[in-house]
Amino acid sequence: FFFPADAAIMLIHRQLHRPGHGLQYACHAPSIRTVQARVSSVHNKCQEFRQPLQQTGRYAHHGRSTIKANSSSAGAVGGPIGDDGKAFTGNPFLRVVLPTALALLLCNMDRICLSVAIIPMSAEFGWPASLQGVIQSAFLWGYMATQLLGGALADKYGGKRVLAAGMLWFSLASALLPAALSEPVVAAGLTIPAVIAARCAVGLGEGVALPSMNNLVANFIPKEAKAKGLGMCFSGFHTGNLAGLILSPLLLVTFGWRALFYIFGLVGLPLLAMWLAVVPDRPPASGSSSAAQAAGSTASAAAAAAKPATSVWTLMSKPATWAIIIVNIVNHFGYFIYLNWMPSYFVKALGFDLRSSSFMALLPWIVMALGSSLSGMLADSLVARGVNVTTVRKAVQTVAFLVPAVALLALSQPGLSPQVAVGLMTAALGTTSLGQAGFVANMSDIAPRQSGQMFGLCNTFGSLSGIVGVTAVGYIVEATHSFSAVFQLTASLYVIGTIVWLLLATGERVFD
């Protein structure tokens, strides 16, 4: 159907009039004019058939012929075509989700190690709790700065490339942090600005990670398995907290806090090599598609990808976007308090030593890692059974906020035993992981084509909330010598976030 019309005419005419076929076709062989008219009619029909495919970018024109350029589907049978021209035919969970989970694991190892190292570092340099809060929040300054940029770049160039660049950046920045507290810097009296700048640099690299993850999941994982893919990625993300809390005190006690940053930073180099070798690239831009198409996607999805980029202001014009933004603000306020202050809480409020504090902090993160995967499987199962997507997202997110609210209110009461306190913290932090199948999955529900940009936008607000929360905790604890007010404030925000979510959220597609 895609031969030039004139070549087709000559081939058919020669076939019908070749020697040896005279007896059979002598009375029936059409003239070349008749053949030409018939082929022209077929050619016109082919043009009508080919037109919608050309508009979606599935086929590209070269001269008078048309050749297949991109496949708009992924999966085991011919998926997205990489920049090397070869179709991605592997299992997307092995080649996309698993490597992404490992990359996010490293992200959180490099992020959480300071929450352990800050205890001996503050003792060495005489940092009060308020200054500790400022130093720990510095990571979020850089992290917030690259959320929108990371999402836009991931949607344009593909999550693989953007996350690879981020991985190299934050690994090197983490390894260089001890230089910010070297003797020449201390002698110059620049320790505070130097360590803040160093942690900000780590945040700049890690800020592109989650938008890139969202782009990869949206583009390579089928819609019916999207929550499961996100859950597995976030399991790796939360497992990084476990690995960091297990390894940090051991390395710190054995080699000192400086070696901790060297080792965690250098681990990124072999992981980066694996990432570049295993993860598939996005399709080339020749088909006017801005990102690889998800497994099982249709021509209509490819047509949507060919549309011009959506502005941030357009995204922010819809109530569904603000539902995600507000829930993200609340989620990150609590999450970064847990992440940065939990070891200090166990030391100061519960009387654990450094090693015991780190190991006791493991249990909430274990539950959170398991909850991330289970929540995705649960949500996908409910959707597969015919439960409305909006109902699933609202129900899961409601549980993810109200259970932690109750646990934190109980945790704020005086006189709790360490065992009860750890149990309540585990319930609070572990249950929030259900939000991966709630507000996080909802980003690609309402804006599948803008998944990276949407994640970057919402996470920018969330990161700002984290900065405020982490910094405020230092001042609150220094003023009250207690974490009770912190827990009560966070519980109140969870309730407010739930109300907003129930009123504004939707599981339907909002942006083309």
Side-chain angles (χ1 to χ4, degrees):
F1 283 104
F2 298 103
F3 284 173
D6 51 355
I9 293 168
M10 296 305 300
L11 284 174
I12 295 173
H13 190 266
R14 289 174 182 174
Q15 174 70 15
L16 295 176
H17 291 81
R18 74 178 190 267
H21 286 251
L23 294 176
Q24 185 175 358
Y25 296 107
C27 298
H28 304 286
S31 68
I32 192 167
R33 291 180 179 273
T34 303
V35 171
Q36 186 175 16
R38 292 178 182 176
V39 171
S40 177
S41 176
V42 172
H43 179 72
N44 291 337
K45 291 292 183 182
C46 292
Q47 286 289 90
E48 296 176 6
F49 171 76
R50 186 191 308 153
Q51 187 64 28
L53 297 179
Q54 294 169 353
Q55 293 173 352
T56 64
R58 188 169 178 175
Y59 291 90
H61 292 295
H62 295 273
R64 296 184 63 182
S65 64
T66 306
I67 63 172
K68 192 171 182 178
N70 293 328
S71 170
S72 63
S73 63
V77 185
I81 297 177
D83 289 344
D84 57 0
K86 298 179 180 178
F88 165 52
T89 57
N91 185 324
F93 279 87
L94 291 179
R95 292 193 59 190
V96 176
V97 173
L98 180 59
T100 302
L102 292 174
L104 296 180
L105 183 150
L106 179 63
C107 280
N108 262 10
M109 284 177 59
D110 284 355
R111 180 189 304 190
I112 203 171
C113 64
L114 182 63
S115 68
V116 177
I118 195 74
I119 299 173
M121 289 168 70
S122 60
E124 179 177 341
F125 295 101
W127 297 336
S130 56
L131 182 55
Q132 293 176 43
V134 172
I135 291 172
Q136 295 203 77
S137 71
F139 169 91
L140 291 168
W141 303 355
Y143 188 75
M144 179 179 67
T146 51
Q147 291 293 315
L148 269 174
L149 176 63
L153 291 176
D155 287 342
K156 184 174 182 180
Y157 298 109
K160 173 185 177 177
R161 298 176 181 180
V162 177
L163 185 49
M167 203 182 310
L168 177 62
W169 180 280
F170 73 70
S171 295
L172 293 177
S174 185
L176 291 174
L177 185 138
L181 294 170
S182 60
E183 290 185 4
V185 176
V186 173
L190 298 174
T191 54
I192 302 305
V195 74
I196 287 176
R199 284 301 287 178
C200 184
V202 177
L204 284 170
E206 292 201 17
V208 304
L210 290 180
S212 297
M213 172 216 69
N214 210 43
N215 173 275
L216 288 166
V217 170
N219 292 333
F220 284 99
I221 306 301
K223 182 177 181 180
E224 62 271 15
K226 189 183 303 176
K228 178 184 175 183
L230 285 171
M232 293 176 67
C233 289
F234 274 102
S235 290
F237 185 74
H238 300 312
T239 301
N241 295 326
L242 298 177
L245 289 171
I246 290 173
L247 297 175
S248 293
L250 298 177
L251 294 173
L252 193 151
V253 171
T254 305
F255 302 108
W257 64 263
R258 290 173 175 81
L260 175 63
F261 293 100
Y262 293 140
I263 294 170
F264 278 15
L266 293 176
V267 167
L269 299 181
L271 183 60
L272 175 61
M274 180 277 294
W275 176 267
L276 294 173
V278 172
V279 179
D281 244 326
R282 67 183 293 277
S286 60
S288 73
S289 173
S290 63
Q293 297 301 314
S297 63
T298 62
S300 62
K307 295 182 179 180
T310 304
S311 70
V312 170
W313 307 115
T314 300
L315 295 178
M316 294 175 65
S317 68
K318 302 297 183 180
T321 301
W322 281 103
I324 299 174
I325 289 174
I326 292 171
V327 168
N328 210 330
I329 288 171
V330 173
N331 180 78
H332 281 52
F333 185 90
Y335 178 81
F336 283 108
I337 289 174
Y338 301 138
L339 186 71
N340 290 284
W341 285 102
M342 196 187 306
S344 296
Y345 167 72
F346 286 146
V347 169
K348 296 177 180 179
L350 303 182
F352 295 142
D353 59 28
L354 178 62
R355 182 176 296 186
S356 299
S357 168
S358 296
F359 284 118
M360 289 303 293
L362 289 177
L363 186 57
W365 296 113
I366 291 173
V367 175
M368 195 170 197
L370 293 174
S372 293
S373 288
L374 294 176
S375 66
M377 290 187 283
L378 172 63
D380 286 340
S381 174
L382 291 173
V383 172
R385 293 177 185 178
V387 181
N388 182 268
V389 175
T390 300
T391 302
V392 172
R393 300 291 183 243
K394 286 187 175 182
V396 170
Q397 189 60 54
T398 298
V399 175
F401 271 3
L402 292 187
V403 172
V406 173
L408 289 179
L409 288 175
L411 196 59
S412 67
Q413 303 305 308
L416 296 178
S417 67
Q419 293 79 9
V420 172
V422 171
L424 290 171
M425 184 68 76
T426 300
L429 184 55
T431 313
T432 59
S433 65
L434 298 177
Q436 318 310 333
F439 79 97
V440 177
N442 189 234
M443 296 180 193
S444 50
D445 289 334
I446 69 170
R449 190 170 64 90
Q450 304 87 357
S451 55
Q453 188 180 13
M454 176 65 77
F455 199 104
L457 170 64
C458 297
N459 232 28
T460 298
F461 283 93
S463 300
L464 179 60
S465 172
I467 292 172
V468 173
V470 171
T471 305
V473 168
Y475 286 99
I476 293 172
V477 171
E478 189 173 319
T480 65
H481 304 288
S482 171
F483 283 84
S484 293
V486 174
F487 296 146
Q488 292 167 0
L489 173 60
T490 307
S492 300
L493 291 175
Y494 281 145
V495 174
I496 295 171
T498 301
I499 294 172
V500 172
W501 182 252
L502 293 175
L503 291 175
L504 301 181
T506 178
E508 302 301 321
R509 182 168 183 161
V510 175
F511 301 97
D512 293 331

